[in-house]
Amino acid sequence: MAVKVAPSLLSADFSDLGRELKRIEENGADWAHLDVMDGHFVPAITIGPVVAKSLRPRTRLFMDAHLMVSEPENHIEPFARAGVNLLTIQAEATAHLDRALRKIKEHGLKAGVALNPATPVSVLEYVWPLLDLVLVMSVNPGAGGQSFIPAVLPKIRYIASQVKELNLKVDIEVDGGVNRETAPEIVKAGATVLVAGSAIFAAEDGMSLIGELKNL
Ligand code: DX5
Ligand code: ZN
């Protein structure tokens, strides 16, 4: 199955996100990865539902919103109304993971859980049936341009084995430090969606990387 590529807008030109969306779409991106940060779960503050809403009509891309926010259950409705397609919440950000995932599904969106590098896969044990995607953070959330943490490779392999063993239809998205050098190992470990921000938006030949990653 071909790998899907989800460029992260965090490293894009925030003064012209509409044009940046067009650029990644023209270069073969499958998804647009929106990094939502609230200044509380992570120190940075980025975008919210009002920006997602304004971007929706500017692209046909699948909009993959990564909520690095506390109490994500309070933000599901506004993102659903904004027109995103998938909402990924951080397992560490809520005491009510099951309820939050059910709420995402009730709003007709795909549901994902993101695991920080130190978070064990066991947190998914009782919510597998609710998942469309697991996001394996390969950096500590809050910024682009960080180095890939190789310790998450066995975690990706384990999740891929669980998805196979339980016969689930769950995407495995890897996010953080993905580039030309790290991607082959990540895909071999079982990733089906690659998020890349700085490798695409902050590199001279970044746009051509999208096609290269899709062919891994
Ligand atoms: C980090 C974000 C990532 C980040 C990836 O908190 O969740 O999506 O933008 O950026 P790169 O690819 O530059 O590591
Ligand atoms: Zn992200």
Side-chain angles (χ1 to χ4, degrees):
M1 181 166 71
V3 171
K4 292 186 277 277
V5 178
S8 158
L9 295 182
L10 187 65
S11 297
D13 173 356
F14 266 56
S15 75
D16 199 346
L17 286 177
R19 180 177 55 87
E20 297 285 66
L21 274 174
K22 201 164 166 46
R23 267 202 322 151
I24 59 172
E25 198 165 342
E26 284 166 355
N27 283 278
D30 299 283
W31 295 4
H33 186 80
L34 275 60
D35 281 315
V36 178
M37 300 181 189
D38 65 355
H40 184 257
F41 182 75
V42 291
I45 296 175
T46 58
I47 58 171
V50 65
V51 173
K53 185 166 187 275
S54 68
L55 292 176
R56 182 65 282 177
R58 303 290 299 272
T59 183
R60 286 190 306 278
L61 288 177
F62 184 88
M63 284 172 91
D64 157 32
H66 175 192
L67 299 193
M68 288 160 278
V69 304
S70 302
E71 297 173 329
E73 55 271 21
N74 300 339
H75 302 282
I76 294 166
E77 169 111 21
F79 276 101
R81 278 207 306 271
V84 305
N85 302 98
L86 183 149
L87 268 191
T88 296
I89 60 179
Q90 294 277 161
E92 310 83 1
T94 175
H96 304 290
L97 185 59
D98 180 286
R99 185 166 69 194
L101 290 169
R102 288 179 196 279
K103 193 171 175 185
I104 293 172
K105 310 287 279 189
E106 280 157 19
H107 280 83
L109 304 183
K110 298 275 186 201
V113 175
L115 306 178
N116 280 341
T119 303
V121 179
S122 56
V123 76
L124 303 178
E125 192 167 351
Y126 301 106
V127 293
W128 278 116
L130 297 172
L131 295 184
D132 298 293
L133 176 135
V134 177
L135 198 171
V136 180
M137 289 304 292
S138 37
V139 295
N140 289 293
Q146 302 178 80
S147 301
F148 178 77
I149 299 173
V152 306
L153 282 168
K155 189 190 236 182
I156 300 166
R157 289 187 201 104
Y158 177 67
I159 292 169
S161 70
Q162 285 280 289
V163 166
K164 194 161 178 224
E165 193 183 307
L166 300 170
N167 196 21
L168 299 166
K169 285 207 174 344
V170 170
D171 266 312
I172 301 171
E173 186 174 43
V174 177
D175 184 7
V178 176
N179 56 40
R180 205 168 261 114
E181 290 70 40
T182 57
E185 191 83 32
I186 295 167
V187 172
K188 209 164 108 212
T192 60
V193 185
L194 297 176
V195 175
S198 50
I200 290 174
F201 286 106
E204 269 304 295
D205 60 347
M207 287 298 147
S208 60
L209 180 63
I210 297 173
E212 289 175 46
L213 295 179
K214 281 170 71 107
N215 291 318
L216 283 177

